[in-house]
Amino acid sequence: MTQQQPIRFGVVGSGWRAEFFVRVARLVPDRFRCVGVVTRTAERGAQVEAGWGVPTVRTIEELVTGAVPGAGPAPDRPELIVTATPWPVTPDAVREIVDASVPVLAETPPAPDVAGLRALWADVGTTGLVQVAEHSPAMPAHQARRAVVASGAIGTPTSVQISSTHLYHAVGLARHLLGAGRGPVTVRAQTATAPLLDPVGRHGWTDATEAAPTRSILATLDLGDGRTVLYDFTDNQWYNPLRANRVVVRGSHGEIVDDTVTRWVDGRTVVTSRIERRQSGVEQNLEGFDLQHLSMDGRVLYRNPFEGARLADDDLAVAHLLADTGAWVRGDGPAPYPLADGCQDHLLGLAIEEAARTGEPVTTAAEPWADAL
């Protein structure tokens, strides 16, 4: 069997999130190849070329046509393009790429506000060329939880409690775990401010020693059909080690609490199991630090297809997004995260913020993307 060629992709943008995609290509070169990055200035382009080891151009047109120095001949043009740009810039970048008939993987969110989401959908929604880089459901632990739900172990999933990531990421994960569609949703929310030490941020240790006022949002989402979401997020919770990650999925016959699964088996039997993480490179294991798989009661729920690259969970999620989008582009797999889902997730994230700001319930309507495939 002939080994399939690496997925060729380009990136628009050179910020923090863009580097995740380029890094994955560098670490998994047999699966991915970044053929070029669009930067606004030649100066930033030189920095990217030196630091990331990929060629750069100044325009999307150059990237689409393959006019990238050192990228090779026309057959090396990108099969798909990732937009990792500021919120206001993303819709226009997506439109330009779609106009060139190139598939897009747009970083979240695909547009900054509700009006922008509706306008973007009106322009490109029916082209079938746009996927969204919502990485949370692609993380190994969440894939394992979804496998437990899909197995029927906890019966019909009815609610998710999530205190982990924020807004559209949390909403996307909750909808994914519940198998929820894109219908009307009623959101209620409130905020609270309390002292919290913030020892770690995006750029590392802060050396802070005193607690400072920190905002939290607590929200409920009624998705209909008896399905609900409890959202609890504190500012900087992504990095702050003093706030743990918590995910609860409740069903008609049991529940998942983080890595613990409790479920009904028969008339007088309830059992509890754990989702176990098989990690190499610990103590006397000499295979190198890497995730191998997640399992429960002898059944593998998730197996790492990128073993050997030593990827963190967030990088594994990016690798899954690229692999799944590449398979979709090549006709070898389903759409990984259609624009309709990205629009719905951000719509509900915006509703959480509005409800928190006003103190009043917010009910979203069925938007034009509600019934899209």
Side-chain angles (χ1 to χ4, degrees):
M1 182 179 297
T2 303
Q3 184 175 1
Q4 198 167 38
Q5 293 297 309
I7 296 162
R8 304 184 310 278
F9 70 94
V11 179
V12 181
S14 60
W16 177 73
R17 196 63 191 172
E19 190 175 3
F20 280 70
F21 294 91
V22 178
R23 181 170 63 246
V24 164
R26 184 171 65 248
L27 294 173
V28 195
D30 61 319
R31 298 287 299 273
F32 312 112
R33 180 183 173 203
C34 181
V35 300
V37 173
V38 177
T39 65
R40 286 185 297 177
T41 67
E43 180 182 10
R44 177 56 181 159
Q47 293 172 348
V48 168
E49 290 172 6
W52 297 4
V54 293
T56 66
V57 291
R58 306 291 81 77
T59 68
I60 290 174
E61 181 182 6
E62 291 174 285
L63 182 62
V64 166
T65 59
V68 180
D76 276 345
R77 288 182 299 183
E79 297 174 83
L80 64 98
I81 294 178
V82 177
T83 59
T85 47
W87 290 14
V89 176
T90 297
D92 288 337
V94 169
R95 290 185 181 97
E96 184 175 350
I97 298 166
V98 168
D99 284 346
S101 300
V102 177
V104 183
L105 180 59
E107 254 296 354
T108 51
D113 51 30
V114 175
L117 292 172
R118 291 169 178 160
L120 181 62
W121 180 260
D123 290 341
V124 305
T126 59
T127 66
L129 286 173
V130 185
Q131 301 296 313
V132 173
E134 179 46 68
H135 72 292
S136 292
M139 286 189 168
H142 298 322
Q143 289 197 50
R145 292 180 183 112
R146 177 58 185 162
V148 173
V149 173
S151 74
I154 64 169
T156 302
T158 55
S159 72
V160 169
Q161 301 173 17
I162 182 165
S163 183
S164 173
T165 188
H166 77 305
L167 299 174
Y168 43 88
H169 294 308
V171 169
L173 176 58
R175 288 201 313 112
H176 184 75
L177 290 167
L178 290 171
R182 312 184 196 109
V185 175
T186 298
V187 180
R188 295 175 173 83
Q190 64 185 52
T191 63
T193 300
L196 176 65
L197 183 67
D198 205 14
V200 181
R202 176 182 291 186
H203 304 292
W205 291 95
T206 64
D207 295 325
T209 58
E210 299 292 333
T214 305
R215 186 191 68 156
S216 296
I217 295 180
L218 186 67
T220 59
L221 288 73
D222 183 348
L223 279 62
D225 297 326
R227 292 170 301 182
T228 60
V229 178
L230 176 62
Y231 169 89
D232 181 359
F233 184 77
T234 299
D235 288 348
N236 193 44
Q237 190 168 331
W238 316 281
Y239 296 100
N240 194 329
L242 303 179
R243 288 294 178 264
N245 179 80
R246 298 196 309 280
V247 178
V248 176
V249 188
R250 286 184 163 167
S252 59
H253 289 64
E255 68 176 11
I256 306 169
V257 180
D258 297 332
D259 295 329
T260 301
V261 182
T262 300
R263 73 270 190 204
W264 177 87
V265 175
D266 59 35
R268 296 189 176 185
T269 309
V270 172
V271 299
T272 298
S273 305
R274 283 191 58 82
I275 298 173
E276 301 289 350
R277 186 181 184 99
R278 175 68 178 177
Q279 190 84 37
S280 63
V282 178
E283 293 190 5
Q284 288 300 111
N285 183 288
L286 305 181
E287 298 172 59
F289 197 73
D290 212 350
L291 171 62
Q292 295 183 335
H293 63 253
L294 287 93
S295 66
M296 185 180 78
D297 293 344
R299 177 195 168 202
V300 173
L301 303 170
Y302 168 86
R303 191 180 299 278
N304 180 8
F306 309 102
E307 192 174 348
R310 321 294 186 205
L311 300 180
D313 281 10
D314 195 84
D315 287 331
L316 281 170
V318 171
H320 278 290
L321 278 172
L322 283 173
D324 292 347
T325 307
W328 164 72
V329 167
R330 293 177 177 181
D332 296 330
Y337 215 100
L339 176 60
D341 287 313
C343 288
Q344 183 71 8
D345 294 340
H346 192 37
L347 175 75
L348 298 184
L350 292 168
I352 291 172
E353 290 190 307
E354 181 182 350
R357 183 177 62 254
T358 65
E360 298 294 329
V362 174
T363 299
T364 63
E367 296 288 342
W369 54 77
D371 297 321
L373 298 177

